[in-house]
Amino acid sequence: MNNRKIEEIICILQKEFPGQKPAPRKADPLDILIATLLSQNTTDKTSYIAFRNIKDEIGGWEEVLKAPPAKLKNAIRVCGLANQKSAAIKGLLRGLREKRGKLSLNYMKKLTDEEIFSELLQYNGIGVKTIACMLAFSLGRDVFPVDTHVHRVCNRLGLAKAATPLKTFEQMKHIVPEGKKFLFHTLLIKFGRKICRSAAPLCGKCPLYDHCEFPEKEYYAERTSAEPKENNFIILEHV
Ligand code: SF4
């Protein structure tokens, strides 16, 4: 049932966001992992500035590993939580150097999803969502990352019944149709920013109104006056 409902929702959202590509570009896995780490608790636009600052002011990951911590913190200060994020980046790079000798995650192309989760979860600051994004956006695996937007929308639509993004991730991985996880994830991110916003969702202008199980949708539909605004920049499509 949910499987068919998801197919219908994907069709509707593809009309709402006609430019969305069905598959990723498959950028470098270490770039994607660190870009996702930078995007925690901030917008994609500011985390992209931080990512570009690292590349322009410090250089490649070898230079980042050698750079004084203060230099890395300054480069990424714009995206917030600079202390935690710089410590996580340094810890990851140090770990790769010690365990693998190379600052690269290309060896993961030969590992299973489970092996990748198990290995990367050992690093501080790297969680399930960050790893799922790397799997989907870089390695092209059929994985459905769940961030706060995706968690909120899946629950309002009645596709998941879960209190946390991690629990939504566990429920959704069984019901999103094969080969559609990347597409559905990116469509929901854009939809969650533009229409199904956290505060004051624009239910009166929502193309998914009839599919939605959110108990307050009528309340918000009567109060919808703002025009939806596009905010389609996804950092992982640009690194
Ligand atoms: S009707 Fe409202 S709550 Fe439901 S999906 Fe649309 S915007 Fe979100």
Side-chain angles (χ1 to χ4, degrees):
M1 173 59 191
N2 270 338
N3 203 290
R4 201 171 65 237
K5 180 170 168 176
I6 290 172
E7 295 277 13
E8 288 168 13
I9 290 171
I10 288 173
C11 278
I12 294 167
L13 291 182
Q14 279 185 300
K15 287 184 193 128
E16 187 75 26
F17 305 101
Q20 183 53 51
K21 294 185 179 66
R25 280 188 308 128
K26 297 194 187 167
D28 177 79
L30 185 54
D31 282 3
I32 289 284
L33 194 73
I34 292 180
T36 312
L37 203 157
L38 290 170
S39 72
Q40 289 168 10
N41 299 97
T42 189
T43 66
D44 278 23
K45 280 183 185 157
T46 54
S47 49
Y48 185 65
I49 294 170
F51 184 83
R52 290 301 338 154
N53 285 350
I54 292 178
K55 296 283 184 185
D56 297 341
E57 294 170 17
I58 305 179
W61 301 122
E62 285 287 350
E63 287 76 27
V64 173
L65 179 58
K66 288 183 206 140
K71 190 166 184 184
L72 179 57
K73 274 187 224 170
N74 277 338
I76 66 172
R77 197 166 302 285
V78 62
C79 73
L81 302 173
N83 287 342
Q84 292 96 312
K85 289 176 182 176
S86 62
I89 293 168
K90 286 269 194 186
L92 170 67
L93 297 176
R94 262 196 311 273
L96 284 175
R97 166 59 29 85
E98 283 160 18
K99 289 180 196 159
R100 297 277 163 179
K102 261 175 107 176
L103 300 188
S104 167
L105 292 175
N106 283 331
Y107 72 94
M108 291 199 157
K109 291 175 182 170
K110 293 189 181 143
L111 303 186
T112 65
D113 294 356
E114 289 68 29
E115 287 168 335
I116 292 172
F117 274 113
S118 152
E119 190 163 326
L120 290 178
L121 282 172
Q122 292 170 23
Y123 290 97
N124 281 338
I126 297 180
V128 167
K129 184 207 83 174
T130 304
I131 300 166
C133 283
M134 193 271 279
L135 287 168
F137 282 83
S138 176
L139 302 188
R141 305 286 173 90
D142 199 26
V143 172
F144 183 72
V146 175
D147 71 347
T148 52
H149 290 299
V150 175
H151 166 64
R152 176 178 72 254
V153 179
C154 286
N155 280 273
R156 284 177 176 173
L157 288 170
L159 299 171
K161 295 208 180 343
T164 65
L166 188 56
K167 287 186 180 149
T168 297
F169 173 76
E170 288 302 327
Q171 293 178 14
M172 293 299 295
K173 70 181 172 191
H174 303 296
I175 60 167
V176 183
E178 264 182 48
K180 298 281 177 75
K181 293 189 174 79
F182 172 84
L183 176 63
F184 193 39
H185 166 83
T186 46
L187 289 171
L188 287 185
I189 297 268
K190 292 178 177 179
F191 175 67
R193 290 176 183 170
K194 182 182 173 186
I195 295 172
C196 193
R197 308 177 317 193
S198 170
L202 305 178
C203 302
K205 305 210 161 145
C206 178
L208 298 179
Y209 191 87
D210 293 339
H211 294 272
C212 179
E213 296 179 14
F214 186 44
E216 294 165 58
K217 69 178 183 180
E218 285 178 32
Y219 172 88
Y220 283 109
E222 284 167 14
R223 284 156 184 79
T224 297
S225 55
E227 282 304 314
K229 281 200 195 123
E230 298 276 350
N231 175 6
N232 288 338
F233 182 80
I234 295 178
I235 179 176
L236 301 185
E237 293 188 318
H238 295 269
V239 296

